[in-house]
Amino acid sequence: MTKTKNFKKISSAVLSFVLIVAMALTVTCCGVQEDTPSNETKGEITEVGTGEKSFDFTVTDKDGNVKKFKVNTDAKTVGEALLELNLISGDDSGGSFYVKKVNGKTADYNKDKTYWAFYENGKYASKGVDTTEVKDGATYGFKVEK
């Protein structure tokens, strides 16, 4: 009877150990990722999308927080690329696309007189995001302004 009790204790301990190791391996090797496989964070730059062309994209919110992206795309316009990746949203009922939300942050002119200003290569863009053609290696950005 003592042998049976010891066997049960040892078997239980071994089984528990095996289960713990299996769970640890599952978590470390096959854990759930928040980003899609095409997204990769390198330092402070998040790489998103797939495609032949790429550009840098910077978002500066109303508190001055900066988020940087490397966007890979085959889209023709910057707006098309950013919409496909859900980095911007807005309204195009007025003839041109009016950006209301960038990277999940909203600028509301009616509420606090802020808006998303669009920049190309560090300068205020001369065209809207929906009509600016993607230039491989260029830098684009949105910044909340008043």
Side-chain angles (χ1 to χ4, degrees):
M1 200 168 215
T2 305
K3 284 185 178 184
T4 305
K5 271 187 173 180
N6 287 339
F7 179 75
K8 285 182 178 180
K9 284 183 179 179
I10 292 171
S11 297
S12 178
V14 169
L15 181 59
S16 296
F17 178 76
V18 169
L19 288 173
I20 290 169
V21 169
M23 288 177 13
L25 287 173
T26 300
V27 169
T28 57
C29 296
C30 308
V32 176
Q33 296 180 349
E34 287 185 21
D35 293 331
T36 61
S38 64
N39 297 352
E40 182 179 333
T41 302
K42 295 178 181 177
E44 294 183 21
I45 299 174
T46 302
E47 192 161 340
V48 294
T50 58
E52 296 293 318
K53 298 177 276 186
S54 69
F55 60 86
D56 293 330
F57 177 61
T58 303
V59 179
T60 307
D61 69 18
K62 66 181 177 180
D63 298 322
N65 300 314
V66 177
K67 177 72 177 168
K68 295 181 180 187
F69 297 88
K70 175 69 125 190
V71 176
N72 301 295
T73 187
D74 288 324
K76 185 175 179 177
T77 67
V78 176
E80 180 184 351
L82 298 177
L83 282 166
E84 286 174 358
L85 295 168
N86 294 315
L87 288 172
I88 64 170
S89 63
D91 182 13
D92 61 357
S93 62
S96 65
F97 191 77
Y98 179 69
V99 176
K100 293 183 176 183
K101 190 179 280 189
V102 179
N103 195 35
K105 307 251 179 161
T106 301
D108 187 347
Y109 189 82
N110 293 326
K111 180 180 175 185
D112 58 8
K113 304 293 185 222
T114 60
Y115 65 96
W116 286 106
F118 179 53
Y119 287 84
E120 182 177 9
N121 294 321
K123 296 179 181 176
Y124 200 84
S126 61
K127 295 197 256 179
V129 68
D130 57 333
T131 58
T132 300
E133 289 190 24
V134 171
K135 294 179 189 138
D136 196 30
T139 300
Y140 303 99
F142 275 101
K143 181 178 179 183
V144 173
E145 294 189 355
K146 212 169 194 179

